[in-house]
């Protein structure tokens, strides 16, 4: 059913909330339905821009009484199913952040970008476990795991959550923590993004990090095989203070890029060392000593500048992403990466080296899974049209088929998007964890009101 052609009675909802309700035909509908990822084209039946958890709860009750599904977005960086014919709850105005230096914690509302948390935390010598871009939503990133430049030292963002405030499918505002609604807390930590309720805020741990040694070594693609072989050995000896990745980058021609990158294909080794800059410098020096890179941007930097390690795009763009856990970086794996990470289809094929503190957390502690996997592939393509999305998905299917002997079969949900991600949810978990998620789904959202996030059948369906 296309609700966009229907008129839902929204006046009572408008009267009840402080936020804004936008329906098809309103002048601001097209602007409001836009996601950061411009490849997302969605037509919600109504959009609720919430100003408080109470607004969210009113929206959820409204969706129940009109039998609507509920999608949740803060920035639109990681949309799974587009929010068609449903209530889209936008959390972007829930923007409060408060850092408590004494307890080294922060309260972060659902619409907050990592940059705002980073700024307040760095002002008192602390850091959150953000990812490669401070423009990403803190809550959406955390619900998917959250693997950033401090991951091997301090773990995943999801392991540093102390509590969530959640609006559940019955329209109640509850606290989920180790002591309250502990099953919901278990599931939300990595297992149920967008599928169990609307997280309106979270309390997280912060860490004492001020200066790091970070940057990139950039090599010509012609050196790729040697650089990958070196990287494979090098990471075996790196302490957990180092979090690193290796990427094949196919830069489009762009005037804002330096000439040695614009329109060029290169191999980049990115990294961040949390500790004494001199020690970090000594440990990374092995690579340029072995082979002179085109550029070496490693330097001591305030952690607030950590965006400059990856230089991810900040402005909205049309992109698609896919990936999965690799078993190895053998020569055969590298050949397949080189054969499929071609400039016509893939902008970036990055392998992040995980492990460390991520793997030390007890597997049963929360829903996040595949902790012992260490090599994570993320492939990104530019997909400005629906045809380009289809071509990317087809190419990735062939890419993964060729890589299949070197993949564990597991996926990391933050590095998947679109319907593909929704469909692959089961591959992010062991059968046992997926079964438990189904049981928790049956308890908290038996009508599958939250059906635009992870795909979690109730235990009966499973
Ligand atoms: C440039 C870029 C860099 C990135 N870097 C990293 C990285 O270093 N490490 C990493 O792990 N990931 C990274 N990601 C992936 C990112 O963490 C996910 O895309 C994440 O889902 C984005 O969250 P968001 O709220 O900004 O996006 P949105 O698209 O607004 O939300 C994504 C999904 O999360 C769910 N959701 C959002 N808010 C809520 C809420 N309040 N309650 C319940 N469900 C909610 C919804 O299902 C929604 O569809 C990156 C993505 C991009 C585009």
């Amino acid at each position: 059913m296309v609700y966009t052609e229907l008129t839902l009675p929204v006046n009572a909802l408008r009267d009840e909330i402080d936020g804004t309700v936008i329906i098809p035909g309103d002048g601001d509908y097209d602007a409001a339905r836009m996601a950061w990822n411009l490849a997302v084209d969605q037509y919600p039946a109504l959009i609720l821009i919430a100003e408080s958890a109470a607004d969210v709860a009113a929206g959820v009750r409204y969706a129940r009484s009109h039998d609507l599904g509920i999608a949740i977005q803060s920035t639109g960086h990681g949309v799974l199913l587009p929010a068609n014919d449903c209530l889209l709850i936008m959390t972007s105005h829930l923007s409060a952040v408060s850092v408590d230096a004494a307890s080294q914690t922060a309260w972060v509302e659902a619409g907050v970008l990592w940059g705002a948390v980073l700024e307040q935390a760095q002002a008192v010598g602390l850091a959150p476990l953000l990812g490669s871009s401070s423009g990403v939503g803190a809550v959406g990133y955390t619900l998917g795991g959250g693997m950033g430049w401090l991951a091997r030292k301090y773990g995943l963002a999801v392991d540093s959550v102390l509590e969530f405030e959640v609006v559940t499918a019955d329209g109640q505002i509850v606290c989920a923590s180790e002591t309250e609604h502990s099953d919901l807390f278990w599931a939300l930590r990595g297992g149920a993004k967008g599928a169990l309720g609307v997280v309106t805020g979270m309390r997280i741990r912060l860490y004492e990090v001020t200066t790091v040694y970070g940057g990139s070594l950039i090599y010509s693609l012609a050196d790729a095989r040697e650089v990958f072989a070196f990287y494979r050995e090098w990471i075996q000896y790196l302490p957990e203070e180092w979090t690193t990745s290796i990427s094949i980058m196919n830069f489009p021609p762009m005037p804002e890029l330096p000439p040695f990158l614009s329109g060029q294909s290169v191999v980049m080794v990115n990294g961040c060392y949390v500790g004494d800059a001199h020690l970090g410098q000594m440990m990374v020096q092995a690579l340029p000593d072995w082979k002179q890179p085109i550029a070496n941007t490693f330097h001591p930097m305030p952690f607030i500048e950590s965006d400059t390690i990856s230089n991810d795009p900040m402005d909205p763009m049309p992109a698609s992403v896919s990936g999965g856990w690799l078993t190895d970086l053998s020569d055969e794996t590298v050949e397949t990466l080189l054969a499929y990470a071609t400039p016509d289809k893939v902008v970036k094929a990055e392998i992040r080296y995980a492990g460390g503190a991520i793997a030390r957390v007890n597997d049963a502690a929360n829903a996040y899974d595949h902790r012992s996997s260490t090599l994570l592939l993320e492939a990104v393509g530019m997909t400005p049209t629906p045809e380009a999305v289809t071509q990317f998905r087809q190419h990735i299917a062939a890419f993964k088929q060729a890589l299949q002997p070197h993949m564990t079969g597991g996926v990391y949900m933050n590095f998947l998007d679109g319907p593909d991600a929704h469909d692959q949810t089961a591959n992010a978990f062991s059968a046992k964890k997926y079964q438990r998620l189904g049981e928790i789904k049956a308890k908290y959202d038996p009508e599958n009101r939250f059906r635009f996030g992870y795909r979690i059948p109730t235990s009966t369906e499973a």
Side-chain angles (χ1 to χ4, degrees):
M1 188 188 301
V2 180
Y3 275 99
T4 47
E5 289 171 5
L6 297 180
T7 309
L8 284 161
V10 292
N11 286 345
L13 179 61
R14 282 187 168 133
D15 290 344
E16 189 184 348
I17 63 171
D18 294 325
T20 311
V21 175
I22 301 169
I23 55 173
D26 287 349
D28 43 2
Y29 179 76
D30 278 335
R33 69 181 184 83
M34 295 278 285
W36 180 89
N37 187 339
L38 301 176
V40 175
D41 192 22
Q42 53 189 1
Y43 295 87
L46 72 161
I47 302 168
L48 191 164
I49 303 176
E51 299 291 339
S52 64
D55 281 3
V56 172
V60 170
R61 289 194 296 271
Y62 179 90
R64 279 184 78 187
S65 59
H66 292 84
D67 197 22
L68 289 168
I70 303 170
I72 313 151
Q73 289 167 24
S74 67
T75 67
H77 273 82
V79 175
L80 287 94
L81 296 185
N84 286 325
D85 302 332
C86 66
L87 165 65
L88 170 59
I89 296 181
M90 293 292 307
T91 63
S92 47
H93 286 198
L94 303 180
S95 55
V97 184
S98 63
V99 166
D100 180 5
S103 64
Q104 300 196 355
T105 61
W107 174 253
V108 179
E109 284 192 345
V112 172
L113 306 186
W114 270 127
V117 190
L118 183 63
E119 195 178 320
Q120 283 200 29
Q122 286 282 272
V124 291
L126 298 172
L129 300 181
L130 80 163
S132 54
S133 167
S134 63
V136 166
V139 166
Y141 163 97
T142 300
L143 292 172
M147 192 181 301
W149 286 122
L150 304 177
R152 280 170 43 82
K153 172 78 174 161
Y154 295 118
L156 297 167
V158 84
D159 295 323
S160 281
V161 178
L162 301 168
E163 66 177 272
F164 290 113
E165 181 184 78
V166 191
V167 176
T168 48
D170 55 5
Q172 302 298 309
I173 304 172
V174 304
C175 171
S177 69
E178 289 291 3
T179 52
E180 290 177 77
H181 299 284
S182 56
D183 50 358
L184 185 59
F185 187 54
W186 179 89
L188 285 173
R189 283 175 297 155
K193 182 158 56 167
L196 277 182
V198 186
V199 171
T200 47
M202 61 180 184
R203 188 169 307 286
I204 56 171
R205 267 190 219 106
L206 302 171
Y207 297 89
E208 287 178 28
V209 177
T210 49
T211 307
V212 296
Y213 188 73
S216 307
L217 293 168
I218 303 170
Y219 289 93
S220 156
L221 192 67
D223 295 328
R225 289 171 182 80
E226 283 175 283
V227 179
F228 269 94
F230 195 100
Y231 180 80
R232 178 171 70 205
E233 297 306 314
W234 182 62
I235 54 178
Q236 303 301 319
Y237 302 102
L238 287 182
E240 290 177 3
E241 282 73 17
W242 270 107
T243 300
T244 65
S245 74
I246 184 165
S247 322
I248 298 168
M249 298 291 302
N250 297 311
F251 289 102
M254 289 164 75
E256 56 270 42
L257 288 174
F260 68 90
L261 293 182
S262 178
Q264 301 299 314
S265 294
V266 296
V267 179
M268 292 175 77
V269 175
N270 292 344
C272 177
Y273 177 75
V274 198
D276 179 76
H278 182 63
L279 273 179
Q281 198 266 337
M282 281 187 351
M283 284 184 257
V284 88
Q285 194 57 35
L287 274 89
D289 280 353
W290 159 75
K291 193 172 197 91
Q292 186 66 28
I294 302 170
N296 178 353
T297 70
F298 273 96
H299 65 286
M301 62 172 78
F303 188 63
I304 199 166
E305 291 174 14
S306 61
D307 270 0
T308 62
I309 299 174
S310 285
N311 284 308
D312 286 348
M314 294 303 260
D315 292 336
M317 58 187 292
S320 295
V321 57
S322 189
W325 290 102
L326 298 173
T327 55
D328 60 79
L329 262 189
S330 62
D331 290 346
E332 199 175 81
T333 302
V334 173
E335 287 307 325
T336 310
L337 292 172
L338 289 168
Y340 284 87
T342 48
D344 56 331
K345 297 279 182 349
V346 173
V347 175
K348 171 172 95 166
E350 179 172 27
I351 291 103
R352 295 200 184 186
Y353 183 53
I358 298 171
R360 275 202 304 278
V361 173
N362 182 339
D363 186 52
N366 54 47
Y368 182 84
D369 217 328
H370 301 304
R371 287 186 182 277
S372 56
S373 296
T374 54
L375 295 163
L376 178 61
L377 170 67
E378 182 198 22
V380 182
M382 285 301 102
T383 52
T385 61
E387 295 73 35
V389 173
T390 306
Q391 282 170 13
F392 177 79
R393 295 284 167 217
Q394 287 168 349
H395 182 73
I396 289 297
F399 190 173
K400 283 188 169 178
Q401 182 61 34
L403 263 182
Q404 200 256 330
H406 305 281
M407 299 194 79
T408 68
V411 296
Y412 174 62
M413 289 301 285
N414 269 0
F415 289 167
L416 297 176
D417 71 2
D420 196 31
H422 177 82
D423 294 346
Q424 287 195 57
T425 303
N427 297 333
F429 308 101
S430 66
K432 193 175 160 200
K433 283 194 173 181
Y434 199 48
Q435 169 76 20
R436 183 166 179 211
L437 286 169
E439 288 160 11
I440 296 170
K441 174 84 173 171
K443 176 175 168 188
Y444 285 95
D445 184 21
E447 292 171 337
N448 198 17
R449 192 75 49 213
F450 295 105
R451 49 181 177 264
F452 293 83
Y454 290 6
R455 183 179 175 279
I456 303 177
T458 59
S459 51
T460 354
E461 288 174 90

